[in-house]
PDB file of all heavy atoms in Angstrom:
ATOM      1  N   THR A   9       0.886   2.141   4.431  1.00 90.00           N
ATOM      2  CA  THR A   9       2.101   1.531   4.938  1.00 90.00           C
ATOM      3  C   THR A   9       1.792   0.060   5.279  1.00 90.00           C
ATOM      4  O   THR A   9       0.618  -0.299   5.432  1.00 90.00           O
ATOM      5  CB  THR A   9       2.582   2.238   6.189  1.00 90.00           C
ATOM      6  OG1 THR A   9       1.603   2.083   7.231  1.00 90.00           O
ATOM      7  CG2 THR A   9       2.808   3.740   5.935  1.00 90.00           C
ATOM      8  N   PRO A  10       2.787  -0.800   5.426  1.00 88.00           N
ATOM      9  CA  PRO A  10       2.522  -2.192   5.839  1.00 88.00           C
ATOM     10  C   PRO A  10       1.745  -2.286   7.121  1.00 88.00           C
ATOM     11  O   PRO A  10       0.854  -3.150   7.286  1.00 88.00           O
ATOM     12  CB  PRO A  10       3.905  -2.802   5.952  1.00 88.00           C
ATOM     13  CG  PRO A  10       4.734  -2.034   4.977  1.00 88.00           C
ATOM     14  CD  PRO A  10       4.196  -0.631   5.067  1.00 88.00           C
ATOM     15  N   LYS A  11       1.998  -1.384   8.088  1.00 89.00           N
ATOM     16  CA  LYS A  11       1.290  -1.420   9.359  1.00 89.00           C
ATOM     17  C   LYS A  11      -0.205  -1.139   9.134  1.00 89.00           C
ATOM     18  O   LYS A  11      -1.082  -1.805   9.692  1.00 89.00           O
ATOM     19  CB  LYS A  11       1.861  -0.388  10.306  1.00 89.00           C
ATOM     20  CG  LYS A  11       1.157  -0.347  11.673  1.00 89.00           C
ATOM     21  CD  LYS A  11       1.769   0.682  12.599  1.00 89.00           C
ATOM     22  CE  LYS A  11       1.036   0.724  13.928  1.00 89.00           C
ATOM     23  NZ  LYS A  11       1.633   1.769  14.837  1.00 89.00           N
ATOM     24  N   GLU A  12      -0.524  -0.168   8.290  1.00 91.00           N
ATOM     25  CA  GLU A  12      -1.927   0.190   8.008  1.00 91.00           C
ATOM     26  C   GLU A  12      -2.630  -0.928   7.231  1.00 91.00           C
ATOM     27  O   GLU A  12      -3.835  -1.162   7.412  1.00 91.00           O
ATOM     28  CB  GLU A  12      -1.981   1.477   7.223  1.00 91.00           C
ATOM     29  CG  GLU A  12      -1.550   2.707   8.027  1.00 91.00           C
ATOM     30  CD  GLU A  12      -1.244   3.935   7.158  1.00 91.00           C
ATOM     31  OE1 GLU A  12      -1.067   3.793   5.947  1.00 91.00           O
ATOM     32  OE2 GLU A  12      -1.201   5.046   7.756  1.00 91.00           O
ATOM     33  N   LEU A  13      -1.876  -1.648   6.389  1.00 92.00           N
ATOM     34  CA  LEU A  13      -2.453  -2.718   5.579  1.00 92.00           C
ATOM     35  C   LEU A  13      -3.068  -3.817   6.474  1.00 92.00           C
ATOM     36  O   LEU A  13      -4.121  -4.368   6.139  1.00 92.00           O
ATOM     37  CB  LEU A  13      -1.382  -3.359   4.702  1.00 92.00           C
ATOM     38  CG  LEU A  13      -1.780  -4.599   3.888  1.00 92.00           C
ATOM     39  CD1 LEU A  13      -2.715  -4.206   2.777  1.00 92.00           C
ATOM     40  CD2 LEU A  13      -0.536  -5.297   3.361  1.00 92.00           C
ATOM     41  N   PHE A  14      -2.466  -4.085   7.613  1.00 91.00           N
ATOM     42  CA  PHE A  14      -2.927  -5.194   8.484  1.00 91.00           C
ATOM     43  C   PHE A  14      -3.966  -4.735   9.502  1.00 91.00           C
ATOM     44  O   PHE A  14      -4.251  -5.471  10.409  1.00 91.00           O
ATOM     45  CB  PHE A  14      -1.702  -5.801   9.163  1.00 91.00           C
ATOM     46  CG  PHE A  14      -0.834  -6.621   8.254  1.00 91.00           C
ATOM     47  CD1 PHE A  14       0.218  -6.029   7.591  1.00 91.00           C
ATOM     48  CD2 PHE A  14      -1.143  -7.958   8.017  1.00 91.00           C
ATOM     49  CE1 PHE A  14       0.999  -6.773   6.715  1.00 91.00           C
ATOM     50  CE2 PHE A  14      -0.339  -8.696   7.153  1.00 91.00           C
ATOM     51  CZ  PHE A  14       0.726  -8.116   6.514  1.00 91.00           C
ATOM     52  N   GLN A  15      -4.507  -3.541   9.336  1.00 91.00           N
ATOM     53  CA  GLN A  15      -5.532  -3.061  10.224  1.00 91.00           C
ATOM     54  C   GLN A  15      -6.927  -3.311   9.677  1.00 91.00           C
ATOM     55  O   GLN A  15      -7.131  -3.310   8.463  1.00 91.00           O
ATOM     56  CB  GLN A  15      -5.350  -1.569  10.508  1.00 91.00           C
ATOM     57  CG  GLN A  15      -4.093  -1.231  11.254  1.00 91.00           C
ATOM     58  CD  GLN A  15      -3.880   0.265  11.438  1.00 91.00           C
ATOM     59  OE1 GLN A  15      -4.551   1.060  10.804  1.00 91.00           O
ATOM     60  NE2 GLN A  15      -2.979   0.622  12.326  1.00 91.00           N
ATOM     61  N   PHE A  16      -7.893  -3.483  10.571  1.00 91.00           N
ATOM     62  CA  PHE A  16      -9.292  -3.555  10.166  1.00 91.00           C
ATOM     63  C   PHE A  16      -9.693  -2.181   9.667  1.00 91.00           C
ATOM     64  O   PHE A  16      -9.411  -1.158  10.235  1.00 91.00           O
ATOM     65  CB  PHE A  16     -10.133  -3.940  11.364  1.00 91.00           C
ATOM     66  CG  PHE A  16     -11.616  -3.873  11.113  1.00 91.00           C
ATOM     67  CD1 PHE A  16     -12.173  -4.529  10.021  1.00 91.00           C
ATOM     68  CD2 PHE A  16     -12.447  -3.176  11.986  1.00 91.00           C
ATOM     69  CE1 PHE A  16     -13.546  -4.461   9.788  1.00 91.00           C
ATOM     70  CE2 PHE A  16     -13.818  -3.130  11.782  1.00 91.00           C
ATOM     71  CZ  PHE A  16     -14.362  -3.755  10.667  1.00 91.00           C
ATOM     72  N   ARG A  17     -10.372  -2.179   8.505  1.00 90.00           N
ATOM     73  CA  ARG A  17     -10.739  -0.964   7.769  1.00 90.00           C
ATOM     74  C   ARG A  17      -9.537  -0.035   7.626  1.00 90.00           C
ATOM     75  O   ARG A  17      -9.461   1.013   8.233  1.00 90.00           O
ATOM     76  CB  ARG A  17     -11.866  -0.218   8.483  1.00 90.00           C
ATOM     77  CG  ARG A  17     -12.612   0.720   7.524  1.00 90.00           C
ATOM     78  CD  ARG A  17     -13.348   1.794   8.274  1.00 90.00           C
ATOM     79  NE  ARG A  17     -14.064   2.693   7.401  1.00 90.00           N
ATOM     80  CZ  ARG A  17     -14.449   3.897   7.772  1.00 90.00           C
ATOM     81  NH1 ARG A  17     -14.233   4.329   8.969  1.00 90.00           N
ATOM     82  NH2 ARG A  17     -15.089   4.659   6.955  1.00 90.00           N
ATOM     83  N   PRO A  18      -8.561  -0.438   6.807  1.00 90.00           N
ATOM     84  CA  PRO A  18      -7.363   0.373   6.617  1.00 90.00           C
ATOM     85  C   PRO A  18      -7.711   1.730   6.047  1.00 90.00           C
ATOM     86  O   PRO A  18      -8.549   1.856   5.129  1.00 90.00           O
ATOM     87  CB  PRO A  18      -6.514  -0.448   5.631  1.00 90.00           C
ATOM     88  CG  PRO A  18      -7.521  -1.319   4.921  1.00 90.00           C
ATOM     89  CD  PRO A  18      -8.574  -1.635   5.950  1.00 90.00           C
ATOM     90  N   THR A  19      -7.112   2.756   6.599  1.00 87.00           N
ATOM     91  CA  THR A  19      -7.379   4.135   6.172  1.00 87.00           C
ATOM     92  C   THR A  19      -6.072   4.803   5.816  1.00 87.00           C
ATOM     93  O   THR A  19      -5.137   4.816   6.600  1.00 87.00           O
ATOM     94  CB  THR A  19      -8.056   4.919   7.301  1.00 87.00           C
ATOM     95  OG1 THR A  19      -9.261   4.245   7.695  1.00 87.00           O
ATOM     96  CG2 THR A  19      -8.412   6.334   6.846  1.00 87.00           C
ATOM     97  N   ALA A  20      -6.011   5.351   4.606  1.00 87.00           N
ATOM     98  CA  ALA A  20      -4.785   6.015   4.144  1.00 87.00           C
ATOM     99  C   ALA A  20      -4.641   7.396   4.795  1.00 87.00           C
ATOM    100  O   ALA A  20      -5.615   8.146   4.905  1.00 87.00           O
ATOM    101  CB  ALA A  20      -4.822   6.195   2.631  1.00 87.00           C
ATOM    102  N   ARG A  21      -3.439   7.674   5.250  1.00 86.00           N
ATOM    103  CA  ARG A  21      -3.129   9.010   5.789  1.00 86.00           C
ATOM    104  C   ARG A  21      -2.274   9.810   4.788  1.00 86.00           C
ATOM    105  O   ARG A  21      -2.049  10.994   4.997  1.00 86.00           O
ATOM    106  CB  ARG A  21      -2.404   8.891   7.131  1.00 86.00           C
ATOM    107  CG  ARG A  21      -3.214   8.207   8.207  1.00 86.00           C
ATOM    108  CD  ARG A  21      -2.538   8.308   9.548  1.00 86.00           C
ATOM    109  NE  ARG A  21      -2.349   9.693   9.958  1.00 86.00           N
ATOM    110  CZ  ARG A  21      -1.652  10.074  11.040  1.00 86.00           C
ATOM    111  NH1 ARG A  21      -1.040   9.132  11.780  1.00 86.00           N
ATOM    112  NH2 ARG A  21      -1.518  11.353  11.347  1.00 86.00           N
ATOM    113  N   LYS A  22      -1.808   9.123   3.729  1.00 87.00           N
ATOM    114  CA  LYS A  22      -1.005   9.797   2.735  1.00 87.00           C
ATOM    115  C   LYS A  22      -1.541   9.427   1.345  1.00 87.00           C
ATOM    116  O   LYS A  22      -2.224   8.419   1.172  1.00 87.00           O
ATOM    117  CB  LYS A  22       0.482   9.384   2.852  1.00 87.00           C
ATOM    118  CG  LYS A  22       1.142   9.783   4.168  1.00 87.00           C
ATOM    119  CD  LYS A  22       2.577   9.351   4.196  1.00 87.00           C
ATOM    120  CE  LYS A  22       3.269   9.800   5.480  1.00 87.00           C
ATOM    121  NZ  LYS A  22       4.673   9.353   5.566  1.00 87.00           N
ATOM    122  N   TYR A  23      -1.169  10.289   0.355  1.00 89.00           N
ATOM    123  CA  TYR A  23      -1.651  10.095  -1.007  1.00 89.00           C
ATOM    124  C   TYR A  23      -0.471  10.353  -1.951  1.00 89.00           C
ATOM    125  O   TYR A  23       0.418  11.152  -1.684  1.00 89.00           O
ATOM    126  CB  TYR A  23      -2.822  11.033  -1.330  1.00 89.00           C
ATOM    127  CG  TYR A  23      -4.004  10.778  -0.421  1.00 89.00           C
ATOM    128  CD1 TYR A  23      -4.071  11.369   0.825  1.00 89.00           C
ATOM    129  CD2 TYR A  23      -5.050   9.941  -0.831  1.00 89.00           C
ATOM    130  CE1 TYR A  23      -5.178  11.129   1.675  1.00 89.00           C
ATOM    131  CE2 TYR A  23      -6.124   9.706  -0.013  1.00 89.00           C
ATOM    132  CZ  TYR A  23      -6.192  10.318   1.240  1.00 89.00           C
ATOM    133  OH  TYR A  23      -7.252  10.057   2.049  1.00 89.00           O
ATOM    134  N   VAL A  24      -0.521   9.646  -3.108  1.00 87.00           N
ATOM    135  CA  VAL A  24       0.537   9.812  -4.101  1.00 87.00           C
ATOM    136  C   VAL A  24      -0.109  10.032  -5.475  1.00 87.00           C
ATOM    137  O   VAL A  24      -1.235   9.608  -5.713  1.00 87.00           O
ATOM    138  CB  VAL A  24       1.494   8.594  -4.160  1.00 87.00           C
ATOM    139  CG1 VAL A  24       2.251   8.454  -2.866  1.00 87.00           C
ATOM    140  CG2 VAL A  24       0.718   7.317  -4.463  1.00 87.00           C
ATOM    141  N   LEU A  25       0.645  10.644  -6.376  1.00 84.00           N
ATOM    142  CA  LEU A  25       0.227  10.801  -7.758  1.00 84.00           C
ATOM    143  C   LEU A  25       1.010   9.812  -8.609  1.00 84.00           C
ATOM    144  O   LEU A  25       2.245   9.769  -8.536  1.00 84.00           O
ATOM    145  CB  LEU A  25       0.469  12.220  -8.264  1.00 84.00           C
ATOM    146  CG  LEU A  25      -0.509  13.313  -7.765  1.00 84.00           C
ATOM    147  CD1 LEU A  25      -0.102  14.659  -8.354  1.00 84.00           C
ATOM    148  CD2 LEU A  25      -1.931  12.960  -8.167  1.00 84.00           C
ATOM    149  N   PRO A  26       0.309   8.977  -9.396  1.00 80.00           N
ATOM    150  CA  PRO A  26       1.001   7.966 -10.237  1.00 80.00           C
ATOM    151  C   PRO A  26       2.109   8.546 -11.115  1.00 80.00           C
ATOM    152  O   PRO A  26       3.150   7.948 -11.296  1.00 80.00           O
ATOM    153  CB  PRO A  26      -0.141   7.370 -11.041  1.00 80.00           C
ATOM    154  CG  PRO A  26      -1.356   7.565 -10.209  1.00 80.00           C
ATOM    155  CD  PRO A  26      -1.151   8.877  -9.503  1.00 80.00           C
ATOM    156  N   LYS A  27       1.872   9.726 -11.673  1.00 80.00           N
ATOM    157  CA  LYS A  27       2.829  10.284 -12.626  1.00 80.00           C
ATOM    158  C   LYS A  27       4.136  10.735 -11.934  1.00 80.00           C
ATOM    159  O   LYS A  27       5.148  10.973 -12.626  1.00 80.00           O
ATOM    160  CB  LYS A  27       2.229  11.454 -13.397  1.00 80.00           C
ATOM    161  CG  LYS A  27       1.866  12.653 -12.520  1.00 80.00           C
ATOM    162  CD  LYS A  27       1.221  13.766 -13.365  1.00 80.00           C
ATOM    163  CE  LYS A  27       0.853  14.994 -12.508  1.00 80.00           C
ATOM    164  NZ  LYS A  27       0.215  16.032 -13.312  1.00 80.00           N
ATOM    165  N   LEU A  28       4.099  10.875 -10.603  1.00 78.00           N
ATOM    166  CA  LEU A  28       5.293  11.308  -9.888  1.00 78.00           C
ATOM    167  C   LEU A  28       6.184  10.154  -9.387  1.00 78.00           C
ATOM    168  O   LEU A  28       7.282  10.389  -8.918  1.00 78.00           O
ATOM    169  CB  LEU A  28       4.890  12.170  -8.678  1.00 78.00           C
ATOM    170  CG  LEU A  28       4.182  13.498  -8.993  1.00 78.00           C
ATOM    171  CD1 LEU A  28       3.842  14.230  -7.691  1.00 78.00           C
ATOM    172  CD2 LEU A  28       5.055  14.394  -9.873  1.00 78.00           C
ATOM    173  N   ILE A  29       5.702   8.926  -9.507  1.00 77.00           N
ATOM    174  CA  ILE A  29       6.472   7.786  -9.001  1.00 77.00           C
ATOM    175  C   ILE A  29       6.658   6.782 -10.133  1.00 77.00           C
ATOM    176  O   ILE A  29       5.701   6.241 -10.691  1.00 77.00           O
ATOM    177  CB  ILE A  29       5.744   7.103  -7.782  1.00 77.00           C
ATOM    178  CG1 ILE A  29       5.620   8.102  -6.640  1.00 77.00           C
ATOM    179  CG2 ILE A  29       6.533   5.860  -7.350  1.00 77.00           C
ATOM    180  CD1 ILE A  29       4.972   7.525  -5.419  1.00 77.00           C
ATOM    181  N   GLU A  30       7.879   6.529 -10.476  1.00 77.00           N
ATOM    182  CA  GLU A  30       8.231   5.631 -11.544  1.00 77.00           C
ATOM    183  C   GLU A  30       7.835   4.177 -11.169  1.00 77.00           C
ATOM    184  O   GLU A  30       8.132   3.703 -10.074  1.00 77.00           O
ATOM    185  CB  GLU A  30       9.708   5.703 -11.832  1.00 77.00           C
ATOM    186  CG  GLU A  30      10.139   4.824 -13.030  1.00 77.00           C
ATOM    187  CD  GLU A  30      11.635   4.940 -13.296  1.00 77.00           C
ATOM    188  OE1 GLU A  30      12.285   5.801 -12.663  1.00 77.00           O
ATOM    189  OE2 GLU A  30      12.123   4.171 -14.143  1.00 77.00           O
ATOM    190  N   GLY A  31       7.152   3.504 -12.070  1.00 77.00           N
ATOM    191  CA  GLY A  31       6.780   2.103 -11.842  1.00 77.00           C
ATOM    192  C   GLY A  31       5.714   1.918 -10.773  1.00 77.00           C
ATOM    193  O   GLY A  31       5.659   0.874 -10.142  1.00 77.00           O
ATOM    194  N   LEU A  32       4.870   2.941 -10.541  1.00 79.00           N
ATOM    195  CA  LEU A  32       3.894   2.826  -9.468  1.00 79.00           C
ATOM    196  C   LEU A  32       2.903   1.693  -9.703  1.00 79.00           C
ATOM    197  O   LEU A  32       2.299   1.198  -8.739  1.00 79.00           O
ATOM    198  CB  LEU A  32       3.115   4.141  -9.345  1.00 79.00           C
ATOM    199  CG  LEU A  32       2.183   4.270  -8.144  1.00 79.00           C
ATOM    200  CD1 LEU A  32       2.972   4.242  -6.831  1.00 79.00           C
ATOM    201  CD2 LEU A  32       1.349   5.539  -8.180  1.00 79.00           C
ATOM    202  N   GLN A  33       2.731   1.248 -10.931  1.00 80.00           N
ATOM    203  CA  GLN A  33       1.801   0.140 -11.190  1.00 80.00           C
ATOM    204  C   GLN A  33       2.192  -1.117 -10.437  1.00 80.00           C
ATOM    205  O   GLN A  33       1.321  -1.953 -10.128  1.00 80.00           O
ATOM    206  CB  GLN A  33       1.707  -0.162 -12.692  1.00 80.00           C
ATOM    207  CG  GLN A  33       2.977  -0.690 -13.327  1.00 80.00           C
ATOM    208  CD  GLN A  33       3.942   0.369 -13.754  1.00 80.00           C
ATOM    209  OE1 GLN A  33       3.738   1.559 -13.469  1.00 80.00           O
ATOM    210  NE2 GLN A  33       4.995  -0.018 -14.464  1.00 80.00           N
ATOM    211  N   ASN A  34       3.470  -1.258 -10.100  1.00 80.00           N
ATOM    212  CA  ASN A  34       3.914  -2.415  -9.337  1.00 80.00           C
ATOM    213  C   ASN A  34       3.595  -2.306  -7.845  1.00 80.00           C
ATOM    214  O   ASN A  34       3.798  -3.242  -7.098  1.00 80.00           O
ATOM    215  CB  ASN A  34       5.438  -2.632  -9.524  1.00 80.00           C
ATOM    216  CG  ASN A  34       5.781  -3.040 -10.915  1.00 80.00           C
ATOM    217  OD1 ASN A  34       5.066  -3.820 -11.546  1.00 80.00           O
ATOM    218  ND2 ASN A  34       6.872  -2.515 -11.431  1.00 80.00           N
ATOM    219  N   TRP A  35       3.142  -1.125  -7.442  1.00 86.00           N
ATOM    220  CA  TRP A  35       2.871  -0.929  -6.039  1.00 86.00           C
ATOM    221  C   TRP A  35       1.431  -1.281  -5.662  1.00 86.00           C
ATOM    222  O   TRP A  35       1.112  -1.395  -4.489  1.00 86.00           O
ATOM    223  CB  TRP A  35       3.128   0.545  -5.667  1.00 86.00           C
ATOM    224  CG  TRP A  35       4.563   0.937  -5.709  1.00 86.00           C
ATOM    225  CD1 TRP A  35       5.514   0.495  -6.579  1.00 86.00           C
ATOM    226  CD2 TRP A  35       5.252   1.814  -4.835  1.00 86.00           C
ATOM    227  NE1 TRP A  35       6.746   1.076  -6.324  1.00 86.00           N
ATOM    228  CE2 TRP A  35       6.594   1.897  -5.261  1.00 86.00           C
ATOM    229  CE3 TRP A  35       4.851   2.590  -3.736  1.00 86.00           C
ATOM    230  CZ2 TRP A  35       7.541   2.695  -4.626  1.00 86.00           C
ATOM    231  CZ3 TRP A  35       5.796   3.384  -3.100  1.00 86.00           C
ATOM    232  CH2 TRP A  35       7.129   3.453  -3.550  1.00 86.00           C
ATOM    233  N   TYR A  36       0.566  -1.401  -6.660  1.00 89.00           N
ATOM    234  CA  TYR A  36      -0.811  -1.835  -6.400  1.00 89.00           C
ATOM    235  C   TYR A  36      -0.811  -3.324  -6.089  1.00 89.00           C
ATOM    236  O   TYR A  36       0.048  -4.082  -6.561  1.00 89.00           O
ATOM    237  CB  TYR A  36      -1.697  -1.557  -7.602  1.00 89.00           C
ATOM    238  CG  TYR A  36      -1.985  -0.100  -7.858  1.00 89.00           C
ATOM    239  CD1 TYR A  36      -1.209   0.619  -8.744  1.00 89.00           C
ATOM    240  CD2 TYR A  36      -3.031   0.572  -7.215  1.00 89.00           C
ATOM    241  CE1 TYR A  36      -1.445   1.943  -9.014  1.00 89.00           C
ATOM    242  CE2 TYR A  36      -3.280   1.910  -7.460  1.00 89.00           C
ATOM    243  CZ  TYR A  36      -2.489   2.597  -8.348  1.00 89.00           C
ATOM    244  OH  TYR A  36      -2.752   3.933  -8.588  1.00 89.00           O
ATOM    245  N   ILE A  37      -1.780  -3.754  -5.306  1.00 92.00           N
ATOM    246  CA  ILE A  37      -1.959  -5.171  -5.024  1.00 92.00           C
ATOM    247  C   ILE A  37      -3.331  -5.606  -5.567  1.00 92.00           C
ATOM    248  O   ILE A  37      -4.260  -4.816  -5.565  1.00 92.00           O
ATOM    249  CB  ILE A  37      -1.805  -5.519  -3.521  1.00 92.00           C
ATOM    250  CG1 ILE A  37      -2.651  -4.557  -2.684  1.00 92.00           C
ATOM    251  CG2 ILE A  37      -0.357  -5.474  -3.117  1.00 92.00           C
ATOM    252  CD1 ILE A  37      -2.575  -4.826  -1.202  1.00 92.00           C
ATOM    253  N   LYS A  38      -3.402  -6.868  -5.986  1.00 93.00           N
ATOM    254  CA  LYS A  38      -4.613  -7.352  -6.634  1.00 93.00           C
ATOM    255  C   LYS A  38      -5.277  -8.476  -5.781  1.00 93.00           C
ATOM    256  O   LYS A  38      -4.609  -9.138  -4.992  1.00 93.00           O
ATOM    257  CB  LYS A  38      -4.282  -7.920  -8.023  1.00 93.00           C
ATOM    258  CG  LYS A  38      -3.707  -6.893  -8.976  1.00 93.00           C
ATOM    259  CD  LYS A  38      -4.718  -5.780  -9.304  1.00 93.00           C
ATOM    260  CE  LYS A  38      -4.141  -4.787 -10.301  1.00 93.00           C
ATOM    261  NZ  LYS A  38      -5.110  -3.669 -10.559  1.00 93.00           N
ATOM    262  N   LYS A  39      -6.555  -8.608  -5.987  1.00 95.00           N
ATOM    263  CA  LYS A  39      -7.299  -9.665  -5.289  1.00 95.00           C
ATOM    264  C   LYS A  39      -6.663 -11.012  -5.554  1.00 95.00           C
ATOM    265  O   LYS A  39      -6.327 -11.340  -6.702  1.00 95.00           O
ATOM    266  CB  LYS A  39      -8.769  -9.657  -5.792  1.00 95.00           C
ATOM    267  CG  LYS A  39      -9.635 -10.641  -5.051  1.00 95.00           C
ATOM    268  CD  LYS A  39     -11.096 -10.498  -5.449  1.00 95.00           C
ATOM    269  CE  LYS A  39     -11.320 -10.983  -6.879  1.00 95.00           C
ATOM    270  NZ  LYS A  39     -12.768 -11.067  -7.199  1.00 95.00           N
ATOM    271  N   GLY A  40      -6.456 -11.769  -4.515  1.00 95.00           N
ATOM    272  CA  GLY A  40      -5.808 -13.082  -4.646  1.00 95.00           C
ATOM    273  C   GLY A  40      -4.328 -13.067  -4.392  1.00 95.00           C
ATOM    274  O   GLY A  40      -3.703 -14.138  -4.261  1.00 95.00           O
ATOM    275  N   ASN A  41      -3.722 -11.867  -4.344  1.00 96.00           N
ATOM    276  CA  ASN A  41      -2.302 -11.772  -3.976  1.00 96.00           C
ATOM    277  C   ASN A  41      -2.134 -12.064  -2.493  1.00 96.00           C
ATOM    278  O   ASN A  41      -3.070 -11.964  -1.711  1.00 96.00           O
ATOM    279  CB  ASN A  41      -1.752 -10.363  -4.249  1.00 96.00           C
ATOM    280  CG  ASN A  41      -1.631 -10.007  -5.714  1.00 96.00           C
ATOM    281  OD1 ASN A  41      -1.288  -8.889  -6.054  1.00 96.00           O
ATOM    282  ND2 ASN A  41      -1.892 -10.955  -6.620  1.00 96.00           N
ATOM    283  N   ILE A  42      -0.929 -12.430  -2.141  1.00 97.00           N
ATOM    284  CA  ILE A  42      -0.553 -12.584  -0.723  1.00 97.00           C
ATOM    285  C   ILE A  42       0.527 -11.553  -0.433  1.00 97.00           C
ATOM    286  O   ILE A  42       1.412 -11.353  -1.239  1.00 97.00           O
ATOM    287  CB  ILE A  42      -0.024 -13.998  -0.429  1.00 97.00           C
ATOM    288  CG1 ILE A  42      -1.089 -15.063  -0.784  1.00 97.00           C
ATOM    289  CG2 ILE A  42       0.402 -14.169   1.020  1.00 97.00           C
ATOM    290  CD1 ILE A  42      -0.542 -16.471  -0.842  1.00 97.00           C
ATOM    291  N   VAL A  43       0.404 -10.907   0.706  1.00 96.00           N
ATOM    292  CA  VAL A  43       1.410  -9.915   1.106  1.00 96.00           C
ATOM    293  C   VAL A  43       2.013 -10.371   2.437  1.00 96.00           C
ATOM    294  O   VAL A  43       1.303 -10.768   3.354  1.00 96.00           O
ATOM    295  CB  VAL A  43       0.801  -8.516   1.263  1.00 96.00           C
ATOM    296  CG1 VAL A  43       1.848  -7.521   1.741  1.00 96.00           C
ATOM    297  CG2 VAL A  43       0.231  -8.056  -0.087  1.00 96.00           C
ATOM    298  N   VAL A  44       3.349 -10.281   2.526  1.00 95.00           N
ATOM    299  CA  VAL A  44       4.079 -10.642   3.743  1.00 95.00           C
ATOM    300  C   VAL A  44       4.872  -9.417   4.200  1.00 95.00           C
ATOM    301  O   VAL A  44       5.608  -8.809   3.395  1.00 95.00           O
ATOM    302  CB  VAL A  44       5.022 -11.818   3.516  1.00 95.00           C
ATOM    303  CG1 VAL A  44       5.744 -12.213   4.789  1.00 95.00           C
ATOM    304  CG2 VAL A  44       4.251 -13.027   2.979  1.00 95.00           C
ATOM    305  N   SER A  45       4.770  -9.055   5.468  1.00 92.00           N
ATOM    306  CA  SER A  45       5.499  -7.903   5.991  1.00 92.00           C
ATOM    307  C   SER A  45       6.975  -8.191   5.918  1.00 92.00           C
ATOM    308  O   SER A  45       7.451  -9.286   6.280  1.00 92.00           O
ATOM    309  CB  SER A  45       5.090  -7.566   7.421  1.00 92.00           C
ATOM    310  OG  SER A  45       5.246  -8.658   8.283  1.00 92.00           O
ATOM    311  N   GLN A  46       7.766  -7.193   5.507  1.00 90.00           N
ATOM    312  CA  GLN A  46       9.182  -7.416   5.180  1.00 90.00           C
ATOM    313  C   GLN A  46      10.121  -6.875   6.259  1.00 90.00           C
ATOM    314  O   GLN A  46      11.236  -7.415   6.450  1.00 90.00           O
ATOM    315  CB  GLN A  46       9.510  -6.740   3.841  1.00 90.00           C
ATOM    316  CG  GLN A  46      10.936  -6.927   3.382  1.00 90.00           C
ATOM    317  CD  GLN A  46      11.279  -6.032   2.222  1.00 90.00           C
ATOM    318  OE1 GLN A  46      10.668  -4.977   2.024  1.00 90.00           O
ATOM    319  NE2 GLN A  46      12.235  -6.461   1.407  1.00 90.00           N
ATOM    320  N   SER A  47       9.710  -5.859   6.989  1.00 86.00           N
ATOM    321  CA  SER A  47      10.612  -5.196   7.955  1.00 86.00           C
ATOM    322  C   SER A  47       9.907  -5.020   9.277  1.00 86.00           C
ATOM    323  O   SER A  47       8.685  -4.916   9.336  1.00 86.00           O
ATOM    324  CB  SER A  47      11.051  -3.817   7.412  1.00 86.00           C
ATOM    325  OG  SER A  47      11.694  -3.951   6.196  1.00 86.00           O
ATOM    326  N   GLY A  48      10.689  -4.941  10.335  1.00 80.00           N
ATOM    327  CA  GLY A  48      10.119  -4.700  11.673  1.00 80.00           C
ATOM    328  C   GLY A  48       9.448  -5.979  12.171  1.00 80.00           C
ATOM    329  O   GLY A  48      10.103  -6.942  12.554  1.00 80.00           O
ATOM    330  N   ASN A  49       8.122  -5.969  12.209  1.00 85.00           N
ATOM    331  CA  ASN A  49       7.362  -7.160  12.604  1.00 85.00           C
ATOM    332  C   ASN A  49       7.223  -8.070  11.400  1.00 85.00           C
ATOM    333  O   ASN A  49       6.226  -8.158  10.725  1.00 85.00           O
ATOM    334  CB  ASN A  49       5.976  -6.712  13.117  1.00 85.00           C
ATOM    335  CG  ASN A  49       5.227  -7.833  13.816  1.00 85.00           C
ATOM    336  OD1 ASN A  49       5.738  -8.952  13.913  1.00 85.00           O
ATOM    337  ND2 ASN A  49       4.055  -7.527  14.294  1.00 85.00           N
TER     338      ASN A  49
END
């Protein structure tokens, strides 16, 4: 989640299967990308 992303040593509590989510390749982030939180904080 965005909250977990901004934590030191982020740890996933949930898992997904790529074949079950359409367009999941767009959900990965790559080295050099910038991410900005969109909701809440």
Side-chain angles (χ1 to χ4, degrees):
T9 65
K11 180 180 179 180
E12 292 164 343
L13 175 72
F14 288 91
Q15 293 177 346
F16 173 51
R17 201 201 180 199
T19 304
R21 297 188 62 187
K22 297 180 178 179
Y23 299 84
V24 294
L25 284 179
K27 64 182 181 181
L28 295 180
I29 299 181
E30 184 180 352
L32 187 65
Q33 66 275 7
N34 292 322
W35 292 36
Y36 290 94
I37 48 179
K38 299 296 183 182
K39 184 173 71 171
N41 290 175
I42 301 166
V43 177
V44 181
S45 58
Q46 182 191 27
S47 303
N49 191 359

